[in-house]
Amino acid sequence: MSEEDDEIILSELDDEELVQQMWDDLYDGLREEIEEGVNILLERGWEPYRILTEALVGGMTIVGKDFRDGILFVPEVLLAANAMKAGMAILKPLLAETGAQRVGKMVIGTVKGDIHDIGKNLVSMMMEGAGFEVVDLGINNPVENYLEALETEQPDILGMSALLTTTMPYMKVVIDTMVEKGIRDDYIVLVGGAPLNEEFGRAIGADAYCRDAAVAVETAKTLVARKHNQMAAG
Ligand code: B1M
């Protein structure tokens, strides 16, 4: 069979086949194919959030399993991450386009020693879509970066992300420093990342652990509304 006969035309696949193919393409780090797949699903009327969770995050979950099992290595995972980011870039303006009123402000960053940013970026996108102003500090943030941003930006929320069991304890360093400086209660502290859980969030003194971006948005809305009500009452 010639190469041409092998070629898959994404637009000819039905939705289910297309999502499966996008998982394969993400696995193979095929950026252009992921962009094309996202655009096709949008044309077919899929909601941006559904594309994000089913086609992109779904594919990255498979990458994560094979990375854990030593089947994929850092270079391949980086390519997959880049393909995912290209797909997210198309969805970002659409997720932010909800016309929601500004409901609060969040400073967010991945902690020191950690360069994973896909989950954090997704949280930022979803928060912006829900009407929050987001100041993204990027990756590998020492405590000083967070403190400086809190002072200059005066957000309602501090969000921290960590994807490694070796970096998640750093969240406690940041919270403990806030306590020492007497500013801990001035902010809502939300934490997230795959290795965390609720118990860890409580143990380090965060206000809440957020399992995913949708939970982050809901939690942020609830806690900001509570804070504003308390301020109005007090
Ligand atoms: Co890394 N990596 N990685 N990696 N990587 C993991 C995390 C790992 C679980 C893979 C595995 O073994 N299965 C493993 C950690 C093991 C552990 O600590 N227990 C691991 C490892 C070991 C490493 C290295 C040490 C590998 C090495 O060098 N030998 C190295 C460390 C680098 C460093 O940070 N210093 C490394 C490097 C990398 C890449 C650079 C290749 C790449 C990152 C690229 C990038 O981010 N730009 C990468 C990737 C892509 C992954 C996996 C495969 C995928 C992570 C991801 O993007 N998921 C990951 C495996 C996995 O998690 N299954 C893995 C998709 C994303 C949407 O989900 O980030 O969980 P997630 O975010 C979710 C929620 O967690 C939550 O909402 C998000 C959206 O729903 N959330 C928040 C996240 N942050 C939040 C913040 C909030 C709220 C919610 O604040 C309010």
Side-chain angles (χ1 to χ4, degrees):
M1 227 195 309
S2 75
E3 250 181 53
E4 252 173 51
D5 293 330
D6 275 349
E7 203 178 307
I8 295 166
I9 313 285
L10 294 181
S11 58
E12 288 177 357
L13 302 178
D14 68 29
D15 286 7
E16 197 179 323
E17 289 167 339
L18 177 57
V19 170
Q20 295 279 344
Q21 185 58 43
M22 285 174 73
W23 290 355
D24 285 350
D25 289 343
L26 194 78
Y27 194 94
D28 294 333
L30 300 177
R31 188 188 169 103
E32 282 172 20
E33 282 77 358
I34 288 298
E35 288 173 338
E36 191 185 341
V38 167
N39 283 325
I40 294 171
L41 289 173
L42 282 171
E43 279 162 24
R44 291 184 189 173
W46 278 45
E47 290 295 328
Y49 182 63
R50 184 172 172 212
I51 301 175
L52 198 60
T53 49
E54 290 184 30
L56 299 183
V57 177
M60 192 49 97
T61 305
I62 301 169
V63 171
K65 285 191 183 125
D66 280 2
F67 188 28
R68 179 195 61 208
D69 296 341
I71 298 165
L72 288 180
F73 295 95
V74 170
E76 290 114 319
V77 178
L78 261 180
L79 283 177
N82 285 339
M84 169 131 184
K85 283 186 177 181
M88 282 165 64
I90 299 172
L91 298 173
K92 184 175 175 175
L94 304 173
L95 285 164
E97 214 173 57
T98 55
Q101 271 188 320
R102 203 193 127 180
V103 282
K105 185 171 179 181
M106 176 175 78
V107 160
I108 189 168
T110 303
V111 296
K112 186 176 168 183
D114 201 320
I115 62 168
H116 295 86
D117 67 354
I118 295 176
K120 168 188 66 62
N121 296 347
L122 223 156
V123 171
S124 300
M125 276 163 57
M126 297 278 297
M127 292 285 289
E128 281 174 355
F132 284 86
E133 182 184 347
V134 177
V135 179
D136 187 344
L137 304 180
I139 55 174
N140 194 20
N141 283 288
V143 60
E144 295 78 15
N145 289 9
Y146 291 110
L147 294 181
E148 195 186 323
L150 291 179
E151 196 173 323
T152 51
E153 302 293 345
Q154 292 296 319
D156 302 287
I157 303 170
L158 170 65
M160 288 187 278
S161 180
L163 265 286
L164 300 170
T165 43
T166 48
T167 56
M168 59 192 239
Y170 196 77
M171 292 174 161
K172 183 165 177 345
V173 174
V174 177
I175 295 175
D176 285 352
T177 310
M178 289 169 75
V179 172
E180 272 166 35
K181 297 202 171 294
I183 58 167
R184 166 63 188 89
D185 293 338
D186 298 345
Y187 305 97
I188 296 161
V189 179
L190 302 182
V191 294
L196 280 62
N197 56 32
E198 252 170 61
E199 199 186 342
F200 175 80
R202 261 197 307 273
I204 63 169
D207 289 295
Y209 153 73
C210 307
R211 190 184 60 239
D212 58 31
V215 171
V217 167
E218 285 318 307
T219 311
K221 278 187 188 163
T222 308
L223 295 186
V224 166
R226 196 181 296 165
K227 184 180 165 194
H228 289 171
N229 286 342
Q230 278 166 358
M231 278 160 57

